[in-house]
Amino acid sequence: MVAIEHETQLNGKELPTVWPNTLRFFRERAKCSKRTLALAIGVDPSYLTRIENGDREPPKQHILLALSQSLELVIPDRNILLVSAGYAPLEIREIGWDPALQAVAEVLTDSQLTPEDKGQFRFLVESLASHWKQTTR
């Protein structure tokens, strides 16, 4: 498997992928208070508290991008934050939907495949993408 080069644990807990736990995870991992983060992106601290408590819907995408920038999230983490809030990763929005993405999505959502099969498929796709990037640059 390809090693992920960023922290996916906090105090022994795995990175959550459910909103709003994802935002809280990244904020706590960055050792940033709600107040500090809210002021950094220009929102009221009580708004950020309500978001993290699940009392508000996820914010608009531009707020999430400001949060990810203030928290200095790497691209995979930014995408996890966006997806957990119901948005597509920026790269998907940029290229739109195409048959290759559809084929990958169909394999990864195939209920007849085991988690191990899906893991092997992910590994192959990630390996191919990594090799492609290295040979085309």
Side-chain angles (χ1 to χ4, degrees):
M1 287 280 199
V2 176
I4 297 174
E5 297 181 11
H6 57 283
E7 283 295 314
T8 59
Q9 291 193 348
L10 180 67
N11 299 327
K13 294 181 182 176
E14 285 294 313
L15 186 154
T17 56
V18 177
W19 185 262
N21 299 341
T22 311
L23 174 58
R24 183 177 303 110
F25 175 90
F26 288 132
R27 183 184 57 73
E28 289 176 352
R29 187 181 70 184
K31 296 179 173 62
C32 186
S33 72
K34 286 182 232 175
R35 179 175 174 70
T36 300
L37 181 57
L39 295 176
I41 65 164
V43 299
D44 190 275
S46 65
Y47 173 68
L48 193 55
T49 296
R50 289 192 305 273
I51 288 172
E52 277 198 15
N53 289 341
D55 297 332
R56 298 281 309 250
E57 293 292 318
K60 300 279 187 203
Q61 188 175 24
H62 73 278
I63 298 287
L64 288 167
L65 294 173
L67 288 165
S68 67
Q69 185 174 13
S70 290
L71 293 170
E72 299 180 354
L73 299 183
V74 294
I75 291 172
D77 287 347
R78 180 203 64 201
N79 288 340
I80 289 168
L81 183 66
L82 286 169
V83 169
S84 75
Y87 296 97
L90 295 181
E91 296 80 4
I92 299 295
R93 291 189 60 184
E94 183 178 321
I95 62 171
W97 201 253
D98 71 25
L101 292 175
Q102 183 65 42
V104 169
E106 287 173 2
V107 170
L108 293 176
T109 58
D110 185 341
S111 62
Q112 295 190 359
L113 291 177
T114 66
E116 293 79 20
D117 290 338
K118 291 177 184 181
Q120 289 177 347
F121 179 77
R122 281 186 179 96
F123 176 75
L124 290 172
V125 170
E126 290 170 2
S127 297
L128 180 60
S130 177
H131 174 74
W132 187 268
K133 284 188 226 176
Q134 291 172 2
T135 59
T136 58
R137 289 187 181 173

